[in-house]
Amino acid sequence: MLYSVKESCNRYHILITEEDDIQVSKGKAIAVVGSLNMDLVISMQRMPKIGETIQGDAIHYISGGKGANQAVGCAKLGAEVTMIGAIGNDAFGSEIMQRMKLFGVKTEAIATLEGVPTGTATIMHTENDNCIVIVPGANGECSPEETIAPYAEIIRNADALIVQLEIPMPAVEAALRIAHEAGVPTILNPAPALPLTDEQIALADYFTPNETEFEMYCGGTIDVDSEEQLFERMTAWNARFPGQKLIVTRGKHGISYADSGSIATFAAPVVQVVDTTGAGDSFNAALCFGVANGWPLDKTLPLAVRAASYSVTVFGAQDGMPTMDKLL
């Protein structure tokens, strides 16, 4: 294996030092169920105070949404991706649709809704901070009956399904159940973190929270600087959801993975950071691509970590998603 490995009992710290010998099988079918947003990114020197008007430096209109980002990420790696979701019949919706087609994502399962605006995320960005206001719009109208049921066969015939939590949970759960019953591998990226039942969580073969989200689902605080405490919580999670693969994303620290009592940490390469938006989506897209191709996790996870690290070197979530030649 092309890593430097330090072993201690059943825990492994793995630093990616060389590229993996991965055989890429293009054309695997991936279904993505989730949100499509237009991100309005406003750059400014500082945040305004309450009631204050200040001058901004720039505004960028960027196609986004966790679902759309992950769909683009999978498509750029070479998968045949179908996006399932909804937009409004407006200029933002048209722009998003064009961008999805540009990246090769199949759009026939994206509904265009009349009288409902496309979802937006207004991001006020300074050098050291940001604030985000999300208006769900068409994303909030996604339902099991109207959004998921008409495209159940797409999910059943997929090599993997990935979902997030930016559309109503009944639609997410319906997609997971269809895939679960058909034996399609399922990835649940629980972002943003919302209350989930154990039954809903168990529908996912792969559960991919970040540290903050994982802390919420564990029901208590975790000292993120204490790997021992994190690993204890991950081991307890494995006992609670046997057979599920838990992957906690940890920003610049890479990811930690737990399965069957063993825990491995894959360190992230050191890169020049330009824009962290979409790093988690890039990781989840590459993970989904590897799962769809049937790769073992000891090859998929290093690739996914590299994808996330590459994405932060480029401005814009979707533009930052790497193609496979950037990773191999």
Side-chain angles (χ1 to χ4, degrees), residues 1-5 14 17-20 266 296-299 302:
M1 187 178 296
L2 302 178
Y3 314 115
S4 61
V5 181
I14 302 174
T17 57
E18 298 183 45
E19 296 174 350
D20 301 309
F266 291 80
L297 282 180
D298 65 352
K299 289 187 176 181

Side-chain angles (χ1 to χ4, degrees), residues 188-273:
L188 171 54
N189 176 214
L194 299 173
L196 297 172
T197 67
D198 281 10
E199 183 181 7
Q200 290 168 335
I201 293 172
L203 291 171
D205 297 307
Y206 299 83
F207 193 69
T208 63
N210 63 25
E211 289 172 309
T212 303
E213 292 155 357
F214 184 55
E215 181 178 75
M216 193 204 87
Y217 288 114
C218 287
T221 60
I222 299 174
D223 182 357
V224 296
D225 293 323
S226 171
E227 286 202 332
E228 193 69 26
Q229 188 177 114
L230 174 64
F231 292 167
E232 286 176 0
R233 295 294 180 91
M234 293 178 72
T235 299
W237 187 274
N238 272 175
R240 181 178 165 192
F241 298 101
Q244 183 182 80
K245 296 171 177 60
L246 171 65
I247 302 165
V248 180
T249 58
R250 304 176 59 197
K252 65 181 181 180
H253 300 298
I255 65 98
S256 292
Y257 157 67
D259 183 30
S260 303
S262 294
I263 296 177
T265 293
F266 291 80
V270 177
V271 296
Q272 184 66 43
V273 177

Side-chain angles (χ1 to χ4, degrees), residues 79-91:
E80 291 187 1
V81 183
T82 300
M83 178 75 210
I84 302 173
I87 56 174
N89 186 16
D90 53 27

Side-chain angles (χ1 to χ4, degrees), residues 34-40 61-70 72 83 87 92 95-96 99-100 118-121 123 139 166 277 281 316-318 321:
S35 58
L36 301 105
N37 283 337
M38 181 61 72
D39 295 346
L40 286 64
Y61 299 89
I62 303 172
S63 179
K66 289 185 178 298
N69 290 345
Q70 292 175 15
V72 168
M83 178 75 210
I87 56 174
F92 285 163
E95 175 65 20
I96 289 171
R99 290 274 293 179
M100 298 296 279
T118 297
T120 58
I123 304 166
N139 295 314
E166 287 188 331
T277 306
D281 293 333
Q318 294 179 8
M321 301 288 173

Side-chain angles (χ1 to χ4, degrees), residues 26-94:
K26 292 188 177 182
K28 290 295 183 179
I30 291 175
V32 181
V33 173
S35 58
L36 301 105
N37 283 337
M38 181 61 72
D39 295 346
L40 286 64
V41 184
I42 304 170
S43 300
M44 59 192 73
Q45 295 300 308
R46 64 174 178 83
M47 293 292 175
K49 298 176 183 178
I50 295 176
E52 181 185 19
T53 299
I54 65 172
Q55 181 170 313
D57 296 330
I59 184 168
H60 300 276
Y61 299 89
I62 303 172
S63 179
K66 289 185 178 298
N69 290 345
Q70 292 175 15
V72 168
C74 292
K76 289 179 75 171
L77 290 173
E80 291 187 1
V81 183
T82 300
M83 178 75 210
I84 302 173
I87 56 174
N89 186 16
D90 53 27
F92 285 163
S94 297

